[in-house]
């Protein structure tokens, strides 16, 4: 006698639950395969204030609203990347306002110059946060309840389930159920005997992964918010031999989060740049590419910490109590001696840092003599020089661009001005550019701007006995970025947990299996096996077939040669 399979009339959805209007004999067996909250249609005519509040809360904590808020958050971050931000570069913001008479005021009203602290971005952020919490808390309690409970008993008619098989055996029903219980537990199912059947369930990690993903999103949101509110970042250019103390006044530029307090939150430490060492590829297609790029520093933690040595390299920062010191740039500072018309030294072998313009460290900047200078008439003035420096000059007739980043043939070009530098007016001025508003050019014999190219050791004599400038040498400098990003470890952990949780929710399937063994009318035991998954998948019938094949062997003898016949009930309708 061959194995038989049965199908019930009517449509069967992919998740195994019967369609509305059909016999609801699955009962608890088809419920709680997920912790997702049920959608409820509001009874609009009977809704009061409390009813509307509950309906609004359900909408806010639904998955579609959470996804919509996440999309809005991503879209809202786009202006923060494309439009200059006040917290990052206030000068660019002012420049943008000056160039755009219409867009500037409009962006101000919309808060696009400070996107991440704007009201609308904060509202999206908070709503997303509340939505995730409101979704997670009830689902967590449901999931805990499911873990503490047991798989539900078998439905009355197993043949209605998507995956189903049956056979007859000479073994006693108790023996079949005992063998099924042992087999299912061996396959890591949670199983127990309910009445005349064994109920088993597997795949709880799917819901655990789903919850872990949502919890990880909350952790990431908190970590990012905390990091933005309490972070700080500053840059400092340091000449070889000079030092830095981590106080606000020491930075060349500094920006921080809205809740950062520089009087209490700056990590106390100091360091000095002893030496910058850089070597570069001399030949080949990678000529000029750095091979060694490192800064030798000595540092101390706190006000009275012991002095320690450290080599800072690119992407290998100095870490001190949560703050990181990165090496971000390198350049050169020509050393100059300036004398006035009477031969008095007004700048004694001082190094002035110039900013690199290209990968070969062609550099430009300004040299300023603010105090002590007197012209040929004995009048107090200030001197300014536009400086252009090439660490490797190509020689006479070549372009004014360095051909290599190392100091192989240094050359300094200066053009001279005198008058008022404008640095005493009380307004912030760039030290790398001359304000020529109140400056006059030194003129050469042809009436043109006086300028000259100097090699190390050469001197430029200013017109009309106004003084001299001597190029004494070159000093190197390094630029350091000091950053502190609180909760970055939590953000990383949240990202990893989110990926793992999402993978679990996508690739693990929650499914249930029931094995019923009862005596037939002829006294022979009839065994039924059925499986139900959360969604339609070939894994459930395949797994059920494998379990049936394993269970069939020890529960059959030669007198009952029936073999199990597994089938899947189609979702579109009954089998023909």
């Amino acid at each position: 006698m061959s194995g038989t399979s049965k199908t019930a009339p009517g449509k069967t959805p992919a998740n195994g639950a019967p369609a509305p209007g059909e016999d609801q004999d699955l009962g608890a067996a088809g419920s709680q395969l997920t912790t997702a909250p049920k959608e409820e249609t509001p009874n609009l005519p009977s809704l009061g204030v409390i009813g509307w509040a509950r309906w609004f809360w359900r909408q806010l904590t639904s998955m579609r609203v959470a996804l919509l808020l996440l999309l809005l958050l991503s879209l809202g971050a786009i202006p923060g990347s494309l439009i200059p931000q006040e917290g990052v570069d206030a000068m660019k913001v002012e420049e943008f306002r000056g160039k755009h008479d219409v867009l500037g005021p409009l962006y101000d009203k919309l808060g696009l110059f400070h996107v991440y602290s704007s009201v609308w971005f904060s509202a999206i952020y908070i709503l997303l946060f509340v939505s995730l919490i409101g979704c997670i808390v009830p689902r967590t309690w449901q999931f805990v309840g499911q873990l503490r409970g047991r798989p539900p008993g078998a439905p009355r008619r197993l043949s209605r389930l998507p995956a189903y098989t049956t056979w007859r055996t000479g073994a006693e029903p108790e023996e079949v159920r005992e063998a099924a219980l042992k087999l299912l537990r061996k396959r890591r199912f949670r199983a127990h005997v309910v009445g005349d059947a064994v109920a088993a369930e597997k795949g709880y990690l799917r819901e655990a992964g789903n919850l872990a993903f949502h919890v990880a999103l909350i952790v990431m949101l908190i970590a990012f918010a905390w990091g933005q509110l309490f972070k700080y970042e500053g840059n400092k250019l340091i000449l070889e031999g000079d030092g830095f103390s981590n106080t606000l006044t020491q930075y060349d530029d500094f920006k921080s989060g809205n809740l950062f307090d520089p009087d209490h939150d700056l990590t106390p430490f100091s360091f000095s740049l002893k030496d910058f060492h850089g070597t570069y590829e001399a030949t080949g297609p990678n000529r000029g590419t750095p091979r060694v790029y490192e800064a030798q520093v000595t540092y101390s933690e706190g006000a009275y910490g012991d002095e320690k040595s450290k080599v800072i390299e690119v992407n290998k920062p100095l870490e001190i109590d949560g703050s990181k010191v990165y090496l971000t740039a390198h350049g050169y500072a020509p050393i100059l001696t300036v004398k006035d018309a009477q031969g008095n030294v007004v700048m004694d072998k001082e190094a002035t840092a110039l900013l690199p313009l290209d990968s070969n460290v062609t550099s430009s900047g300004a040299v300023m003599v603010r105090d002590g200078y007197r012209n040929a008439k004995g009048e107090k003035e200030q001197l300014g020089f536009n400086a252009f420096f090439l660490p490797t000059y190509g020689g006479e007739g070549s372009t004014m661009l360095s051909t290599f980043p190392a100091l192989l043939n240094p050359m300094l070009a200066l053009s001279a001005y005198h008058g008022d530098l404008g640095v005493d007016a009380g307004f912030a001025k760039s030290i790398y550019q001359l304000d020529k508003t109140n400056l006059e050019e030194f003129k050469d014999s042809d009436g043109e701007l006086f300028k000259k190219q100097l090699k190390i050791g050469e001197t430029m004599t200013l017109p009309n006995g106004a003084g001299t400038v001597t190029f004494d040498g070159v000093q190197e400098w390094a630029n350091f970025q000091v950053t502190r990003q609180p909760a970055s470890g939590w953000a990383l952990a949240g990202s990893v947990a989110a990926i793992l949780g999402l993978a679990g929710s996508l690739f693990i399937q929650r499914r249930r299996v029931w094995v019923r063994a009862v005596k037939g009318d002829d006294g022979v035991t009839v065994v039924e096996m059925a499986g139900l998954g959360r969604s339609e998948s070939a894994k459930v019938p395949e797994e059920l077939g494998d379990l049936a094949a394993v269970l069939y062997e020890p529960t059959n003898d030669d007198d009952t040669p029936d073999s199990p016949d597994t089938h899947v009930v189609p979702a579109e309708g009954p089998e023909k």
Side-chain angles (χ1 to χ4, degrees), residues 1 168-171 524 552-563:
M1 183 175 179
R168 293 165 22 110
T169 177
V524 178
Y552 175 78
E553 294 297 333
T555 59
N556 270 276
D557 52 36
D558 296 338
D559 296 333
T560 55
D562 296 358
S563 61

Side-chain angles (χ1 to χ4, degrees), residues 387-449:
F388 203 76
F389 178 73
L390 282 63
T392 301
Y393 179 46
E396 188 175 350
S398 64
T399 60
M400 289 294 291
L401 295 173
S402 177
T403 60
F404 198 73
L407 289 171
L408 301 182
N409 184 26
M411 186 272 289
L412 176 66
L414 297 175
S415 55
Y417 299 83
H418 64 100
D420 183 5
L421 294 171
V423 295
D424 301 324
F427 301 103
K429 296 281 186 178
S430 172
I431 63 173
Y432 301 105
Q433 291 182 336
L434 287 179
D435 180 0
K436 301 176 185 177
T437 305
N438 298 312
L439 290 177
E440 296 182 17
E441 299 177 350
F442 280 104
K443 302 292 185 178
D444 60 16
S445 57
D446 298 326
E448 301 293 334
L449 173 64

Side-chain angles (χ1 to χ4, degrees), residues 336-341 344-350 352 366-375 379-386 414-424 431 434 439 442 460 462 466-470:
L336 301 178
T337 297
V338 180
K339 296 181 180 180
D340 64 9
N344 299 317
V345 177
V346 293
M347 177 183 284
D348 188 11
K349 294 183 178 180
E350 291 187 19
T352 303
V367 179
M368 302 181 189
V369 179
R370 298 177 175 86
D371 302 310
Y373 174 78
R374 291 180 181 272
N375 59 22
E379 299 171 342
K380 289 185 177 181
E381 277 191 317
Q382 293 176 326
L383 295 180
F385 303 90
N386 272 333
L414 297 175
S415 55
Y417 299 83
H418 64 100
D420 183 5
L421 294 171
V423 295
D424 301 324
I431 63 173
L434 287 179
L439 290 177
F442 280 104
M460 176 175 74
L462 298 175
T468 61
V469 181
T470 302

Side-chain angles (χ1 to χ4, degrees), residues 240-260:
E240 287 180 333
D242 288 350
F244 166 80
S245 179
N246 193 28
T247 58
L248 189 60
T249 56
Q250 289 273 301
Y251 284 98
D252 296 330
D253 63 82
F254 185 87
K255 52 180 178 286
S256 62
N258 293 337
L259 299 182
F260 178 82

